[in-house]
Amino acid sequence: MKIVDAKVIVCGPGRNFVTLKLTTEDGVHGLGDATLNGRELAVASYLTDHVAPLLVGRDARRIEDTWHYLYKGAYWRGGPVGMTAIGAVDTALWDILGKTLGVPVYQLLGGRSRDGVTVYAHAHGADIDETVESVAAAVARGYKAVRAQSGVPGLPDTYGVAHGGAAYEPAKRGKPPETVWSSERYLESVPRLFEKLRRELGPDLHLLHDVHHRLTPIEAARLGKALEPHHLFWMEDPVPAELQEGYRLIRQHTTTPVAVGEIFSSIHDCDVLIREQLIDYVRASVAHAGGITHLRKIAHLAELHHVRTGCHGASDLSPVCMAAALHFGLSVHNFGIQERMGHTPETEHVFPHAYTFSDGLMHPGEAPGLGVDIDEAAAAKHPYERAYLPVNRKLDGTLHDW
Ligand code: GCO
Ligand code: MG
């Protein structure tokens, strides 16, 4: 079953996406999400200029071999651009295999381990009261797990918080927006938010929070301790993960569970964190950590060390990635939770899909393969427009993690 075509589709239905479409000699096609927010065209070029010529003529059933051919064959291993490209190829090959055999991908991954995939929604507000309302609204929509982000008093813009009730979208057209940060003000307000959320919404709801890489290890340890009485499901990305030892310090001080890994590209990025049990959830995704094949290896390593999955599922991962994440999450034994930030109606229209949401759980559906497609005519109506993630500066103007 030879691959005869490898096409890269770049579109912007509400936000930018890069999609790889592989077609075999018998006319079956498979899709992979190759979107790297803010650096999309680098992956599109990597695929078109360097990977597509290698794929045409290869047997589409050799998923594992193709992964190593692209990873080891490049000589330059790892990194977000290369690993996102490999992930897209891998995802498209699993899609093709499922369609060829007439089964949903999760059946190829060992079958279902649960009834559905627990997802968490995003909730945010300009202040604590608005955020509590937004979390309650997510609960009313059926969610059993909600991530809460609130505006920080005295700061004009905060990560994860949109103005005027709009959905939050991190990338903006034009030059990167500049936001302002104060760890002191943030650390003062977050415990008050979760104190109120627990008080008003009760003990059962899973509450999550994303620190977005902004604290030092000792500040993160302080936050984790302050949040302990409110029993968070997780505290995400408390510090940047390049220095993994930083997580050891956090662990020594707090029992608040820790999640990290949305920017990880491979198993080597989380090896120490998992083996030393410095984290509780690994957030690597199908799109950015080498596809279904590689993410399964990360999950299997994590299973040995009591670490569960919690895949990144922001709006900049396309419905193709969401579908793949759901097949993965339904089947993998040590699943923890899946993020669901949601997509714009334009995106939903461009990517018709079989996955569904009901009562806090998502299901990938029973369509063969991934159960997601791209309407190329609809995609063509939404051209790519360059957009950037923000940058973040401290009150004195120093560039900080955003
Ligand atoms: C999350 C993330 C996102 C990222 C975005 C970057 O937890 O969902 O932190 O909001 O910032 O995906 O591209
Ligand atoms: Mg995050």
Side-chain angles (χ1 to χ4, degrees):
M1 197 177 45
K2 284 201 174 97
I3 299 169
V4 294
D5 190 42
K7 182 177 182 186
V8 177
I9 303 159
V10 180
C11 62
R15 72 159 345 281
N16 294 319
F17 293 111
V18 178
T19 309
L20 176 68
K21 180 174 182 177
L22 299 182
T23 307
T24 65
E25 56 192 338
D26 32 20
V28 177
H29 72 265
L31 299 180
D33 180 17
T35 310
L36 190 61
N37 203 3
R39 295 294 185 271
E40 297 87 0
L41 300 184
V43 187
S45 158
Y46 191 104
L47 283 167
T48 309
D49 298 324
H50 304 291
V51 173
L54 303 176
L55 294 177
V56 173
R58 285 185 70 83
D59 183 346
R61 290 168 299 194
R62 299 191 63 187
I63 299 178
E64 184 75 22
D65 185 70
T66 299
W67 197 95
H68 289 278
Y69 183 71
L70 296 176
Y71 181 79
K72 296 181 173 153
Y75 185 64
W76 311 106
R77 295 183 181 192
V81 175
M83 292 302 281
T84 302
I86 295 175
V89 174
D90 183 79
T91 308
L93 294 180
W94 280 104
D95 191 17
I96 288 172
L97 186 63
K99 285 180 175 170
T100 310
L101 300 175
V103 292
V105 166
Y106 77 83
Q107 296 290 15
L108 303 173
L109 305 178
R112 68 182 183 86
S113 289
R114 52 195 54 79
D115 299 336
V117 175
T118 300
V119 288
Y120 70 88
H122 281 208
H124 52 83
D127 57 26
I128 289 179
D129 289 346
E130 248 187 66
T131 308
V132 174
E133 271 172 39
S134 168
V135 173
V139 173
R141 295 199 303 278
Y143 287 94
K144 311 276 185 254
V146 184
R147 185 190 93 156
Q149 307 294 131
S150 180
V152 176
L155 300 184
D157 253 312
T158 308
Y159 155 74
V161 178
H163 293 286
Y168 178 71
E169 164 52 54
K172 298 273 180 312
R173 296 190 173 124
K175 291 271 171 64
E178 302 230 343
T179 54
V180 185
W181 181 247
S182 158
S183 295
E184 294 75 16
R185 291 181 191 178
Y186 169 78
L187 285 167
E188 188 280 320
S189 72
V190 177
R192 289 193 288 114
L193 167 66
F194 284 92
E195 200 267 317
K196 182 149 193 191
L197 281 169
R198 262 300 164 238
R199 187 157 28 88
E200 304 226 339
L201 300 172
D204 291 342
L205 180 65
H206 291 317
L207 290 170
L208 299 83
H209 182 67
D210 190 353
V211 183
H212 223 260
H213 328 264
R214 291 174 172 199
L215 298 177
T216 64
I218 201 68
E219 287 168 347
R222 172 181 148 196
L223 180 62
K225 268 177 120 161
L227 293 174
E228 276 172 25
H230 317 307
H231 300 138
L232 264 64
F233 187 89
W234 78 33
M235 170 172 81
E236 176 187 338
D237 285 342
V239 298
E242 290 100 316
L243 181 67
Q244 308 209 331
E245 283 76 3
Y247 283 79
R248 232 175 254 141
L249 196 142
I250 299 171
R251 211 45 156 184
Q252 283 158 11
H253 291 279
T254 179
T255 57
T256 292
V258 172
V260 72
E262 66 183 43
I263 65 167
F264 287 174
S265 309
S266 87
I267 198 163
H268 301 291
D269 295 326
C270 37
D271 184 27
V272 171
L273 295 173
I274 290 174
R275 277 191 295 107
E276 296 193 23
Q277 302 187 22
L278 302 178
I279 58 171
D280 301 278
Y281 297 91
V282 58
R283 284 189 39 75
S285 67
V286 168
H288 299 138
I292 293 173
T293 297
H294 195 64
L295 193 61
R296 285 177 93 200
K297 293 180 187 184
I298 295 177
H300 295 336
L301 173 68
E303 184 186 342
L304 292 181
H305 299 282
H306 306 286
V307 175
R308 291 188 282 163
T309 65
C311 296
H312 188 203
S315 56
D316 48 291
L317 294 103
S318 86
V320 177
C321 180
M322 181 49 108
L326 293 173
H327 288 277
F328 168 79
L330 195 65
S331 58
V332 72
H333 174 67
N334 54 324
F335 170 79
I337 204 162
Q338 167 67 45
E339 180 179 15
R340 186 200 193 193
M341 189 168 161
H343 291 112
T344 63
E346 298 96 305
T347 298
E348 296 278 339
H349 178 67
V350 166
F351 295 94
H353 53 75
Y355 59 74
T356 51
F357 169 82
S358 157
D359 206 20
L361 302 182
M362 288 185 77
H363 196 286
E366 298 299 336
L370 292 175
V372 62
D373 213 339
I374 184 164
D375 178 337
E376 291 188 58
K381 291 190 186 131
H382 301 281
Y384 173 85
E385 280 184 59
R386 184 176 296 113
Y388 290 102
L389 296 168
V391 296
N392 193 30
R393 291 186 188 276
K394 292 199 221 176
L395 294 173
D396 70 355
T398 309
L399 199 82
H400 193 54
D401 303 285
W402 81 271

